Amino acid sequence: NYMYHNNFYHASSKKAAGLDNPDQRITADIAEFSKQAASLFGHSFTPILNFVMSLQEVSKDIGLGRPLVMFGWNVALNMLFAAITPSAAPMISREQALEGDFRAAHTRLIAHAEEVAFLEGGTTEHGILNLRLDSLVDTQSWHSLRKVAKDLADQFYKYQSMMTGGVFIHIPFLMTGALSDAERISAFRSTEELMLRCGTAFTEILLIGRKLDELAGYTHRIMCLFKAFNHPAEEPNSNGGDGQPKLESIEFEDLSVSAPEPDGSQRLLLKNLKLSVRKGSNVLVTGPNGAGKTSMFRVLAGLWPATTGAVRAPKGDV
């Protein structure tokens, strides 16, 4: 949908609505999303299968009670760590946005290289690029420190799972007196191997949430892009269908046009314009800068919506 209904224009002109750098979203963000999604499948199906099969085998030796209690403890601890550690989604989304800003500054410099060189603006552009780069590096450094705490929590969670397994499974198994020493050791080694596989698979299943958190950062940026593509600006009304007479003029009916500002507000350019331009006639539109001349034609072309009023034009003849 990017090249249909002027979506490329709408996507690049909606920074005020939170859609920054669509080129970054289409190239880098979608590629990273695809990698994360493919990795998620490989790290979710296999652990789930291993966990179910290992739990089924170990339940034949020690039942389901102790393993389920142990896994319930791990779930509670995982939820606690998820609540106190920083989420990766906002960090990834922010880093991708800053990377897009840095790339956009380079693209703008390349596109206007002659003008910048002619006006000796190299020093100014150098400052802009350094500012964007410093913002990106500082943000990545801060996020790296926050990710260290998250990684430490993950490592602690993995090792405490092994200790929990020793308390809930190994010690009660070794203290049973129903078996001889040789039978107890033989059965223990067999059960221990199954529990290690089962516990490792269960830990990987719980850590899937971390991968989903990372995937959410890219998903948010891509969904904003898709929403922009699915809401193109409306085209001006036209006559000539369903038995109606074909319109022979361009009609501006009480048209008001506002320009979007960087802060999200609207600046009124035209107010209650009434104008009829018949086919074959010539009209000269004049006015100072910012009077709304170009904005009027943007509404006529369907690039901007009208604030109030309407534009009616012959379909295909404008």
Side-chain angles (χ1 to χ4, degrees):
N1 291 332
Y2 183 60
M3 299 303 298
Y4 292 96
H5 304 295
N6 294 325
N7 276 331
F8 58 90
Y9 171 80
H10 302 306
S12 63
S13 62
K14 288 185 177 180
K15 289 187 177 181
L19 187 66
D20 57 337
N21 304 316
D23 55 339
Q24 171 77 11
R25 297 171 186 257
I26 292 174
T27 55
D29 290 354
I30 291 181
E32 290 298 328
F33 172 84
S34 301
K35 292 179 182 178
Q36 293 287 340
S39 174
L40 181 64
F41 176 79
H43 288 81
S44 59
F45 178 77
T46 302
I48 292 174
L49 181 62
N50 287 339
F51 172 72
V52 172
M53 296 180 64
S54 300
L55 183 62
Q56 183 181 9
E57 290 296 324
V58 80
S59 65
K60 297 177 181 179
D61 295 330
I62 60 175
L64 288 175
R66 281 179 288 173
L68 291 181
V69 170
M70 182 187 69
F71 294 141
W73 161 256
N74 287 333
V75 169
L77 195 62
N78 183 68
M79 294 175 64
L80 175 63
F81 284 158
I84 63 177
T85 55
S87 174
M91 292 191 287
I92 290 177
S93 181
R94 178 60 178 165
E95 287 180 12
Q96 291 299 111
L98 292 175
E99 182 180 333
D101 290 341
F102 182 54
R103 176 182 293 183
H106 274 283
T107 302
R108 181 179 58 82
L109 176 61
I110 294 172
H112 302 285
E114 183 176 0
E115 292 87 343
V116 173
F118 184 78
L119 297 174
E120 298 182 351
T123 303
T124 301
E125 292 296 326
H126 184 233
I128 294 174
L129 290 173
N130 280 341
L131 184 64
R132 300 280 178 90
L133 179 60
D134 290 342
S135 179
L136 174 60
V137 172
D138 291 344
T139 301
Q140 288 178 336
S141 300
W142 169 239
H143 288 172
S144 296
L145 291 176
R146 301 184 69 189
K147 290 176 183 178
V148 168
K150 196 176 186 69
D151 291 338
L152 288 175
D154 289 344
Q155 293 300 320
F156 174 79
Y157 173 75
K158 290 180 180 179
Y159 286 111
Q160 73 81 33
S161 298
M162 298 178 63
M163 297 177 61
T164 305
V167 174
F168 281 89
I169 305 298
H170 296 168
I171 295 179
F173 194 93
L174 292 174
M175 292 179 64
T176 181
L179 301 175
S180 64
D181 291 344
E183 291 174 337
R184 185 186 300 118
I185 293 175
S186 176
F188 169 74
R189 294 293 298 173
S190 175
T191 305
E192 181 187 37
E193 183 179 352
L194 288 173
M195 280 304 304
L196 284 175
R197 285 195 303 173
C198 187
T200 301
F202 186 74
T203 301
E204 291 187 18
I205 292 173
L206 293 183
L207 293 179
I208 290 175
R210 304 288 196 272
K211 298 183 182 296
L212 288 174
D213 191 21
E214 296 176 1
L215 187 65
Y218 299 107
T219 303
H220 172 72
R221 289 177 56 80
I222 295 173
M223 287 306 300
C224 289
L225 187 67
F226 286 166
K227 288 180 180 179
F229 290 168
N230 292 330
H231 295 83
E234 297 181 359
E235 297 181 357
N237 297 329
S238 60
N239 282 13
D242 300 329
Q244 298 181 7
K246 185 176 181 180
L247 194 65
E248 295 294 335
S249 61
I250 299 174
E251 305 287 344
F252 296 89
E253 301 174 349
D254 294 321
L255 178 68
S256 295
V257 181
S258 298
E261 294 290 338
D263 60 359
S265 62
Q266 298 286 325
R267 178 167 58 91
L268 186 64
L269 298 177
L270 291 177
K271 184 177 181 181
N272 299 332
L273 173 65
K274 295 182 180 180
L275 177 64
S276 178
V277 181
R278 297 194 59 82
K279 186 176 181 179
S281 61
N282 298 317
V283 176
L284 177 64
V285 180
T286 64
N289 290 337
K293 305 182 297 296
T294 305
S295 301
M296 179 182 69
F297 288 104
R298 288 186 178 122
V299 175
L300 177 62
L303 300 181
W304 282 13
T307 304
T308 60
V311 179
R312 300 169 63 237
K315 186 175 182 179
D317 292 343
V318 179

